[in-house]
Amino acid sequence: MLYSSVADIYRANEEVRARLVARVESLDEEAQNYRADAAAWTVAEILEHLAVLERRLAQLATMMVGKVEGVAAAAGGAAAGASPHFKPFSLDEQAEQVRERKLVAPDEVRPRGGVALSDSLARLKESRTALEALRPRIERADLSAATYPHPAFGPLNLYQWLAFIGLHEERHLNQIERLLRNCGAGDSAGEQA
């Protein structure tokens, strides 16, 4: 997908989130906690992971925006306008690099287990609200040079990190679909190609 604006990123992320929530919110306990093998995460654990990661990314985004605003203020002005230096980008190449690879999440974002799926969904809603509240500041600043390293992709700027949220959720939504098909909870309406 080509992102041409901050609005494109937020719209894509919301579309994935809506599909994710619709797919998992009515799962019974058995489907939520089905484990394909000893090393695999359950649906509840995947949602816990997503909630922890998005909270951390909301914190990272807040810090990165604050730094850029601080630099702009120190230089005697604010970075005004609607992301004046936003250059269209895609994360398709990064997604393709890891499509068939099993990635190992850093320890700080690995699920610990024992978190109810409903609690993870509530935490996802909170972190998304925080990112939405940050959006006007993101749209006013030039964040193309504000980077932070991703464990698999290397340095990403803040726009790329925001788009990564949806890409990451899409990857885990596909994982959830496979898991639910394996446990017999898949249905044709929710299945992905």
Side-chain angles (χ1 to χ4, degrees), residues 64 91 94 146-150 153-158 160-161 164:
M64 290 172 81
L91 293 178
Q94 289 89 341
T147 64
Y148 191 83
H150 181 278
F153 303 150
L156 298 179
N157 68 35
L158 183 56
Q160 293 167 322
W161 271 111
F164 168 77

Side-chain angles (χ1 to χ4, degrees), residues 81-95:
S83 300
H85 301 285
F86 191 100
K87 291 184 173 77
F89 70 93
S90 170
L91 293 178
D92 292 347
E93 183 178 319
Q94 289 89 341

Side-chain angles (χ1 to χ4, degrees), residues 92-114:
D92 292 347
E93 183 178 319
Q94 289 89 341
E96 192 57 39
Q97 289 173 3
V98 297
R99 187 169 319 281
E100 300 301 323
R101 244 175 60 200
K102 179 168 174 50
L103 300 176
V104 177
D107 192 52
E108 61 270 10
V109 296
R110 291 180 61 79
R112 304 291 180 237

Side-chain angles (χ1 to χ4, degrees), residues 68-80:
V68 168
E69 289 172 338
V71 168

